Amino acid sequence: MKHLLTTNELKVEEIYQILEDARKFADGMVWKPEKQFFAANLFFEASTRTKSSFDVAEKRLGLDVVPFEALTSSVQKGETLYDTVKTLEAIGVNLAVIRHNQDRYFDELVGKIDIPIINGGDGCGHHPTQSLLDLLTIYQEFSRFSGLKIAIVGDIRHSRVARSNADVLTRMGAEVVFSGPKEWYDSSLNLANYSPIDEVIEEADVVMLLRVQHERHEKKGGFSAGEYHQKYGLTLEREKRMKQGSIIMHPAPVNRNVEIADSLVECERSRIFKQMQNGVYVRMAVIKRSIESIQGGNQYETAYSKRILHSI
Amino acid sequence: MKHLLTTNELKVEEIYQILEDARKFADGMVWKPEKQFFAANLFFEASTRTKSSFDVAEKRLGLDVVPFEALTSSVQKGETLYDTVKTLEAIGVNLAVIRHNQDRYFDELVGKIDIPIINGGDGCGHHPTQSLLDLLTIYQEFSRFSGLKIAIVGDIRHSRVARSNADVLTRMGAEVVFSGPKEWYDSSLNLANYSPIDEVIEEADVVMLLRVQHERHEKKGGFSAGEYHQKYGLTLEREKRMKQGSIIMHPAPVNRNVEIADSLVECERSRIFKQMQNGVYVRMAVIKRSIESIQGGNQYETAYSKRILHSI
Amino acid sequence: MKHLLTTNELKVEEIYQILEDARKFADGMVWKPEKQFFAANLFFEASTRTKSSFDVAEKRLGLDVVPFEALTSSVQKGETLYDTVKTLEAIGVNLAVIRHNQDRYFDELVGKIDIPIINGGDGCGHHPTQSLLDLLTIYQEFSRFSGLKIAIVGDIRHSRVARSNADVLTRMGAEVVFSGPKEWYDSSLNLANYSPIDEVIEEADVVMLLRVQHERHEKKGGFSAGEYHQKYGLTLEREKRMKQGSIIMHPAPVNRNVEIADSLVECERSRIFKQMQNGVYVRMAVIKRSIESIQGGNQYETAYSKRILHSI
């Protein structure tokens, strides 16, 4: 049975397989499980974007989605995550997508739960489908990773995305550099890869901006929005100095005129909304992978071929 | 692409077309989009009634509904309405129903968003599907608008319904008069059309009661519920003096024994629950109209005919 | 039209019929209503477990589920339960599952509402689908009720389950005994049937533990969790003295190491997660029963046979 917990545990060939499936879904591939299949999206932290994206992915695959509201659940009566998931499993949920503010919450589930878990984000740690949709967006653009220079810019310490992405992009063959306020730099990352924004901007094939997480460190930084934008943000002026053919990415939601100038959010270089589109395809691919691991490989292969034929 | 933002912008023939489709849906017409189609209902103000009505309408048309909870959305992180809708569009939502407390919230969306928007109510301004369901209910009853006298009674200033309805009913050929507390009368309306409830009740073909919006002006009016009922409400005594064949309408939720005597809510003249039924049919018609405008007219006509044949 | 309000009103043969259908659903029976059918789950009290279970049951039967959030509904504007249900009925909801903290809330609905109501729990009173899933679990195990000794252990006074179950199990032919803190014993029950846990444990075929309802009487009891466990709970030591072939049940959510030792929750005797599975099948059976009562018996019989044939 295949969970998706972190990108670290995915081999390079597994990643390519997921990207390949995602690309097929973007091209209109139809794939559905062999029988009625229930998914539940357990979001213990607010996130319309990711939750809706999973919801659409699930429904495009023909899954039934069981509503789950953390706020009105028995978690309020003190129930553990394990008991909650085990309960959903008992009532017939076949796959759980979970976002939880505790780092590696899934460690208490794996091996004890009989349904696949897809990590929709844990603590400040991992957000594998976000990484995968970033990879898909880059791969669509350049058809490769090796030889690319990727700049990750911003609040690196608090970003799920920065850690997952730095690791996986390096493994895929890209060179990753960092920029942003030194106060928010992460000591676990290699300081040699740090450069000021004005250098980075001219060399990078991909500029990945991170969200300033106001809600996580309101009183710390001490930047005003305008200061941040001028010192570390993608201003109109900086965009003009970007390398030819290079692209802008951002996990969203965007703080307009903080990380990026308002009018650049939908500029020609921007792949921000493209990333959201890709999120659905990547999630479809990842869910398909988990379902196939339950249905059994061979059984699937034929079903898959049949369905593909059917959908032509 | 056809939005539905206000009734003002609908031509009379467009309105008749919507009413016609709604009537067909009431008679059992089956119509579905040509492929999987996603709707999202973005309700930034509480409303089970309207939200559930849209939900049922969407599901009767075979649409998939993406859950959206304003309270747990990224709007909480300060995201704009534009970015929220653009995000939903990117993840594959094909149609957005929006209720928002800001007047004309849709002005910042139209022309920049590539999916149809259906206004589920804005500020104190417009609530076009409510107007349309009122029209349908009247048309079902009298088969015409011209020559009818419609009395709108109650909290006119704070009512979305009063403004939309007054305008559109006049355009359809009806005569609209107003009644209720003068304190709540709206200076933008023609005072010549104002009459006391005891006069109005004997002449009107349709008595449209408005909800007393306790939650909007608790400290203003200074009426007790009983006083309001006696001075401006539809009492048992007043109902007896109503014109033969005339009907009672109310957008609900009803404050029983305030706007209307408890036992009149389901009396023979009352069309209050009929209005709710009609709400679903009107919403189906309005959604069909928007979907057709995307699918392309001709393409639709054949699909439509085919489906109708199919459903016979 | 058949509601499901309390188990008291179900005749023994009706109960067997529901259990029989539930067993068939557990064995893979496929049954669906004849046309599109809408259910709404109105939960005015928090409960993921029961709500999700109904949701899965409804979707397995092919029903469309209309989302209803009590917190954002017009109930917030003071609407009565009657008007809320009547509204849902008007917009096309065909069946309502309701949980409400008021005892016998359904008395104000029955006879005035034209759709079946399934009681998902009222006040401290009834929770018929919980009773039925308990019955199913016992029946699956022993294939009979007569001659069985069933011990209900714990917070009897505050438990919906205790009352419904005591009544119905007795009617089915089982002998019911009680145990737990005397402070929480209910004077309406026969004191002669009360025994200390250490006696009960050796004689019972079924030990039904009740949840300690912290949220209902936090300041009363005066037990610490550990004290409760030692005095009244199912400890590791007590489990060893249980009768051969006897089973453990609990309505969940479990307070681990209070009502039951942590490691016993999933022990061989435990049917706790089995109960949750059965909950879905019992709810499918109960919903089918209500739908059939609307569709008309004979009409159903043929449809049913056809569908069964179809599903083979």
Side-chain angles (χ1 to χ4, degrees):
Chain A
M1 189 178 55
K2 285 181 184 162
H3 305 292
L4 180 72
L5 306 175
T6 68
T7 45
N8 304 31
E9 73 201 12
L10 289 174
K11 291 178 199 145
V12 167
E13 60 263 41
E14 283 184 291
I15 292 173
Y16 274 114
Q17 208 171 325
I18 291 167
L19 298 184
E20 196 47 43
D21 268 353
R23 230 158 54 158
K24 285 183 190 162
F25 280 125
D27 289 348
M29 174 170 80
V30 175
W31 180 92
K32 290 180 191 299
E34 304 186 344
K35 19 181 202 174
Q36 193 176 24
F37 201 95
F38 285 90
N41 302 318
L42 285 70
F43 277 64
F44 295 93
E45 286 193 323
S47 169
T48 297
R49 192 179 315 276
T50 307
K51 193 176 182 185
S52 300
S53 179
F54 271 110
D55 191 89
V56 170
E58 287 152 0
K59 286 173 178 162
R60 282 208 182 152
L61 295 173
L63 274 59
D64 275 302
V65 182
V66 181
F68 178 87
E69 294 304 327
L71 295 172
T72 55
S73 79
S74 289
V75 174
Q76 296 295 81
K77 300 186 190 170
E79 195 176 44
T80 63
L81 183 60
Y82 171 77
D83 281 334
T84 302
V85 177
K86 198 78 188 169
T87 297
L88 290 170
E89 181 189 324
I91 65 174
V93 167
N94 307 109
L95 178 137
V97 176
I98 305 177
R99 165 172 288 196
H100 198 286
N101 62 1
Q102 187 194 312
D103 279 7
R104 300 191 67 85
Y105 66 82
F106 43 78
D107 286 342
E108 62 166 304
L109 303 176
V110 171
K112 296 164 75 185
I113 296 291
D114 292 325
I115 57 174
I117 293 158
I118 292 179
N119 183 6
D122 68 297
C124 293
H126 307 277
H127 193 4
T129 57
Q130 178 71 40
S131 292
L132 288 166
L133 74 88
D134 289 340
L135 292 178
L136 178 61
T137 307
I138 294 169
Y139 196 61
Q140 280 175 334
E141 199 69 33
F142 300 99
S143 307
R144 66 189 164 97
F145 293 99
S146 63
L148 294 182
K149 185 173 224 166
I150 320 264
I152 301 181
V153 180
D155 184 1
I156 291 152
R157 201 189 313 152
H158 297 90
S159 169
R160 291 172 172 140
V161 183
R163 291 142 187 269
S164 295
N165 274 1
D167 166 74
V168 74
L169 282 165
T170 307
R171 283 202 292 135
M172 301 301 281
E175 181 192 355
V176 178
V177 295
F178 299 98
S179 189
K182 286 224 164 147
E183 294 88 328
W184 293 348
Y185 199 68
D186 193 309
S187 59
S188 73
L189 297 165
N190 188 347
L191 266 164
N193 294 335
Y194 178 87
S195 310
I197 179 79
D198 285 301
E199 275 175 35
V200 143
I201 219 75
E202 299 184 344
E203 300 162 2
D205 298 287
V206 178
V207 175
M208 300 183 79
L209 303 169
L210 301 178
R211 179 178 160 73
V212 177
Q213 308 249 12
H214 298 302
E215 63 277 15
R216 286 197 202 264
H217 48 67
E218 211 148 354
K219 285 154 200 156
K220 282 189 201 171
F223 306 108
S224 72
E227 274 170 5
Y228 185 91
H229 189 57
Q230 284 313 315
K231 280 193 178 162
Y232 311 106
L234 189 58
T235 59
L236 292 173
E237 186 274 327
R238 286 190 183 112
E239 188 269 342
K240 291 201 185 95
R241 288 191 285 121
M242 281 178 70
K243 195 172 159 183
Q244 205 193 345
S246 65
I247 61 171
I248 300 165
M249 293 171 64
H250 188 297
V254 169
N255 296 302
R256 287 168 181 262
N257 292 325
V258 182
E259 299 104 42
I260 180 169
D262 181 68
S263 64
L264 295 179
V265 172
E266 296 179 58
C267 76
E268 218 193 305
R269 285 189 200 282
S270 169
R271 296 296 175 271
I272 298 176
F273 287 104
K274 184 80 183 167
Q275 285 174 275
M276 297 179 202
Q277 276 177 32
N278 284 338
V280 175
Y281 301 128
V282 154
R283 287 168 183 125
M284 291 171 80
V286 155
I287 293 167
K288 169 177 173 282
R289 173 177 172 268
S290 286
I291 296 178
E292 286 172 8
S293 75
I294 305 171
Q295 290 185 352
N298 280 336
Q299 181 187 0
Y300 150 69
E301 284 305 337
T302 49
Y304 177 72
S305 315
K306 260 188 264 161
R307 276 168 200 284
I308 286 297
L309 283 170
H310 216 78
S311 75
I312 288 165
Chain B
M1 189 178 57
K2 285 181 184 162
H3 304 292
L4 180 73
L5 306 175
T6 69
T7 45
N8 306 32
E9 73 200 13
L10 288 175
K11 291 178 200 145
V12 167
E13 60 263 40
E14 284 184 290
I15 292 172
Y16 275 115
Q17 209 171 325
I18 292 167
L19 298 184
E20 197 45 44
D21 268 352
R23 232 159 50 158
K24 285 183 189 161
F25 281 125
D27 288 349
M29 174 170 80
V30 175
W31 180 92
K32 291 181 190 297
E34 305 186 344
K35 18 183 204 175
Q36 193 176 24
F37 201 95
F38 286 90
N41 301 318
L42 286 69
F43 277 62
F44 295 93
E45 287 193 323
S47 169
T48 297
R49 193 178 314 276
T50 307
K51 193 176 182 185
S52 300
S53 178
F54 271 110
D55 191 89
V56 170
E58 288 152 359
K59 286 173 179 162
R60 282 208 182 152
L61 295 173
L63 275 57
D64 276 301
V65 182
V66 181
F68 178 87
E69 293 305 327
L71 294 172
T72 55
S73 80
S74 291
V75 173
Q76 294 296 79
K77 301 184 189 171
E79 195 175 43
T80 63
L81 182 60
Y82 171 78
D83 281 336
T84 301
V85 177
K86 198 79 188 168
T87 297
L88 290 170
E89 181 189 324
I91 66 173
V93 167
N94 307 110
L95 178 138
V97 176
I98 305 177
R99 165 171 289 195
H100 198 285
N101 62 1
Q102 188 194 313
D103 279 7
R104 300 191 66 85
Y105 66 80
F106 43 78
D107 286 342
E108 61 166 305
L109 302 176
V110 171
K112 295 163 76 185
I113 295 292
D114 293 324
I115 58 174
I117 293 159
I118 292 178
N119 183 7
D122 69 298
C124 295
H126 309 277
H127 193 5
T129 57
Q130 178 71 40
S131 293
L132 289 165
L133 74 87
D134 289 342
L135 292 178
L136 178 61
T137 307
I138 295 168
Y139 196 61
Q140 280 176 335
E141 199 69 34
F142 301 99
S143 306
R144 64 187 164 98
F145 295 99
S146 62
L148 294 182
K149 186 173 224 166
I150 320 265
I152 302 182
V153 180
D155 184 2
I156 292 152
R157 199 189 312 150
H158 296 90
S159 169
R160 290 170 173 143
V161 184
R163 292 142 186 268
S164 295
N165 275 2
D167 165 74
V168 74
L169 282 164
T170 308
R171 284 202 291 135
M172 301 302 280
E175 181 192 355
V176 179
V177 296
F178 300 98
S179 190
K182 285 226 164 145
E183 294 88 327
W184 293 348
Y185 199 67
D186 193 309
S187 58
S188 73
L189 298 166
N190 188 347
L191 267 164
N193 294 334
Y194 179 87
S195 312
I197 180 79
D198 285 301
E199 274 176 38
V200 140
I201 219 74
E202 299 183 345
E203 300 161 1
D205 298 287
V206 179
V207 175
M208 300 184 78
L209 303 168
L210 300 177
R211 180 179 160 72
V212 177
Q213 309 249 11
H214 298 303
E215 61 277 15
R216 287 196 202 264
H217 47 69
E218 212 148 353
K219 285 153 203 158
K220 283 189 203 171
F223 307 108
S224 72
E227 275 169 4
Y228 185 91
H229 189 56
Q230 284 313 315
K231 280 193 179 163
Y232 311 107
L234 189 57
T235 58
L236 292 173
E237 186 274 327
R238 286 191 184 111
E239 188 270 339
K240 290 200 186 94
R241 289 191 285 120
M242 282 178 70
K243 195 172 158 183
Q244 204 192 346
S246 66
I247 61 171
I248 301 165
M249 294 171 64
H250 188 297
V254 170
N255 296 303
R256 286 168 182 264
N257 292 324
V258 183
E259 300 103 41
I260 180 170
D262 181 69
S263 64
L264 294 179
V265 173
E266 296 178 59
C267 76
E268 218 192 306
R269 286 191 200 282
S270 169
R271 296 296 176 272
I272 298 177
F273 287 104
K274 184 79 182 168
Q275 284 173 275
M276 297 179 204
Q277 276 177 32
N278 284 339
V280 174
Y281 301 128
V282 154
R283 286 168 183 125
M284 290 172 81
V286 154
I287 293 167
K288 168 177 174 284
R289 174 177 172 267
S290 285
I291 295 178
E292 286 172 8
S293 75
I294 305 172
Q295 290 186 173
N298 280 336
Q299 182 187 0
Y300 149 70
E301 283 305 337
T302 49
Y304 177 72
S305 316
K306 260 187 265 162
R307 275 169 201 284
I308 287 296
L309 284 170
H310 215 80
S311 75
I312 289 166
Chain C
M1 189 178 56
K2 286 181 183 161
H3 304 292
L4 180 72
L5 306 175
T6 69
T7 46
N8 305 32
E9 72 200 13
L10 288 174
K11 292 177 199 143
V12 167
E13 59 262 42
E14 283 183 291
I15 292 173
Y16 275 115
Q17 208 171 325
I18 291 168
L19 299 183
E20 197 48 43
D21 268 352
R23 229 157 56 155
K24 284 183 190 161
F25 281 125
D27 288 348
M29 174 171 79
V30 175
W31 180 92
K32 290 180 192 299
E34 305 186 344
K35 20 183 201 172
Q36 193 176 23
F37 202 94
F38 286 90
N41 301 318
L42 285 69
F43 276 63
F44 295 93
E45 286 192 324
S47 169
T48 296
R49 192 180 315 277
T50 307
K51 193 175 181 185
S52 300
S53 178
F54 271 110
D55 191 89
V56 170
E58 287 152 1
K59 287 174 178 162
R60 282 209 182 151
L61 295 173
L63 274 59
D64 276 301
V65 182
V66 181
F68 178 87
E69 294 305 327
L71 295 172
T72 55
S73 80
S74 290
V75 174
Q76 295 295 82
K77 301 185 190 170
E79 195 175 44
T80 63
L81 182 60
Y82 170 78
D83 281 335
T84 301
V85 176
K86 199 79 188 168
T87 297
L88 290 170
E89 181 189 325
I91 66 174
V93 167
N94 307 110
L95 178 138
V97 177
I98 305 178
R99 165 171 288 194
H100 198 286
N101 61 1
Q102 187 194 311
D103 279 6
R104 299 191 66 86
Y105 66 82
F106 41 78
D107 286 342
E108 61 166 305
L109 302 176
V110 171
K112 297 164 75 185
I113 296 291
D114 293 324
I115 58 174
I117 293 159
I118 292 178
N119 183 6
D122 68 298
C124 294
H126 308 277
H127 193 5
T129 57
Q130 179 71 40
S131 293
L132 289 165
L133 73 87
D134 290 341
L135 293 178
L136 178 61
T137 307
I138 295 168
Y139 197 61
Q140 279 176 334
E141 199 69 33
F142 300 99
S143 306
R144 64 189 164 96
F145 293 99
S146 63
L148 294 182
K149 186 172 223 167
I150 319 265
I152 303 182
V153 180
D155 184 1
I156 291 152
R157 199 189 315 149
H158 295 90
S159 169
R160 291 172 172 141
V161 184
R163 292 142 186 267
S164 296
N165 275 2
D167 164 73
V168 74
L169 283 164
T170 308
R171 283 203 291 137
M172 302 301 280
E175 180 192 355
V176 178
V177 296
F178 298 98
S179 189
K182 286 224 164 144
E183 294 88 327
W184 294 348
Y185 198 68
D186 192 310
S187 59
S188 73
L189 298 165
N190 187 347
L191 267 164
N193 295 334
Y194 179 87
S195 310
I197 180 80
D198 286 300
E199 276 175 37
V200 142
I201 219 74
E202 298 183 345
E203 300 161 2
D205 298 287
V206 178
V207 175
M208 300 184 80
L209 303 168
L210 300 177
R211 180 179 160 73
V212 177
Q213 308 249 12
H214 298 302
E215 63 277 14
R216 287 196 202 263
H217 48 69
E218 211 148 355
K219 286 155 201 156
K220 283 189 202 171
F223 306 109
S224 72
E227 274 168 4
Y228 185 91
H229 189 57
Q230 284 313 315
K231 281 192 179 163
Y232 311 106
L234 189 58
T235 58
L236 293 173
E237 186 274 326
R238 287 190 183 112
E239 188 271 339
K240 291 202 185 91
R241 289 191 285 121
M242 282 178 70
K243 195 172 157 183
Q244 205 191 346
S246 65
I247 61 170
I248 301 164
M249 292 171 65
H250 187 297
V254 169
N255 296 303
R256 288 169 180 264
N257 292 324
V258 183
E259 299 103 43
I260 180 170
D262 181 69
S263 65
L264 295 179
V265 173
E266 295 177 60
C267 75
E268 218 192 307
R269 285 191 201 282
S270 169
R271 296 296 175 272
I272 298 177
F273 287 104
K274 184 79 183 168
Q275 285 172 275
M276 297 179 203
Q277 276 177 33
N278 284 339
V280 175
Y281 301 128
V282 153
R283 287 169 183 124
M284 291 172 80
V286 154
I287 293 167
K288 168 176 174 284
R289 174 177 172 269
S290 285
I291 296 178
E292 285 172 8
S293 75
I294 305 172
Q295 290 186 171
N298 280 336
Q299 181 187 0
Y300 150 69
E301 284 305 337
T302 50
Y304 177 72
S305 316
K306 260 189 265 162
R307 275 170 201 284
I308 287 295
L309 283 170
H310 215 79
S311 75
I312 288 165

